[in-house]
Amino acid sequence: MDILTIVMIALGLAMDAFAVSVSSGITIKELKPRHGAKIALFFGGFQALMPILGWLLGIGFKDYIEKYDHWIAFVLLGFIGAKMLKESMDDDCEYISDPLQNKVLFMLAIATSIDAMAVGVSFAFLKASILSSSLIIGAITCVICFGGVYLGNRCGCVFKKKAEIAGGVVLMLIGFKILAEHSGFTTVVLNLFK
């Protein structure tokens, strides 16, 4: 899997955490850099850890379903993307009571990184380098969430919905790309233009 695809997956996965970071930023009255860093590190850390757990799960089943791996990646990414699009249709802007409590951050970080675990399962089938992929996903999420806290503090809920839509579309497109590459569809299309 090339670096651009991993970065695009990371951006797509980070959108849920970004949306929660925006909501967190709304509720923090006197925002300080350490507040943004704490939230960003929680979300980035879990986004880096969960693909590894998913990869470990997937690697155990790899031999049984290797010939269907591209379909599994397509379905998982498509499902996650569709779920994000559905969530973007909600009219409410969630307010988090105290986003700086460790207990609250822990629960939010797990909730927003479940999708990353599913992507980790697909990485096992696609023979992606899990350590570098997880580090990229975690770092991108961390940076985006840090910015999201400040954006939420300044602008409110405006960006939450757009982030979820963008993330959903990106993940679905990557699912189509993986399916097309592994099923030979791209080769057929390229041959048509020769």
Side-chain angles (χ1 to χ4, degrees), residues 3-75:
I3 187 78
L4 180 61
T5 301
I6 293 167
V7 167
M8 295 304 289
I9 287 172
L11 288 170
L13 288 173
M15 290 303 111
D16 265 354
F18 172 77
V20 174
S21 296
V22 169
S23 296
S24 298
I26 293 168
T27 63
I28 300 172
K29 301 266 189 273
E30 293 180 30
L31 182 64
K32 295 181 174 30
R34 65 181 153 86
H35 298 144
K38 181 177 182 178
I39 291 168
L41 288 171
F42 258 91
F43 289 138
F46 273 86
Q47 289 280 42
L49 176 66
M50 293 301 251
I52 294 171
L53 294 177
W55 183 82
L56 290 170
L57 247 163
I59 210 77
F61 297 104
K62 185 177 158 202
D63 293 336
Y64 300 108
I65 49 180
E66 194 161 18
K67 65 181 180 178
Y68 306 108
D69 58 0
H70 51 284
W71 283 102
I72 293 167
F74 170 72
V75 168

Side-chain angles (χ1 to χ4, degrees), residues 78-97:
F79 175 76
I80 295 165
K83 183 175 84 100
M84 288 176 76
L85 287 175
K86 182 183 176 293
E87 289 170 359
S88 75
M89 303 304 167
D90 293 340
D91 288 333
D92 65 334
C93 183
E94 292 178 32
Y95 291 92
I96 299 160
S97 57

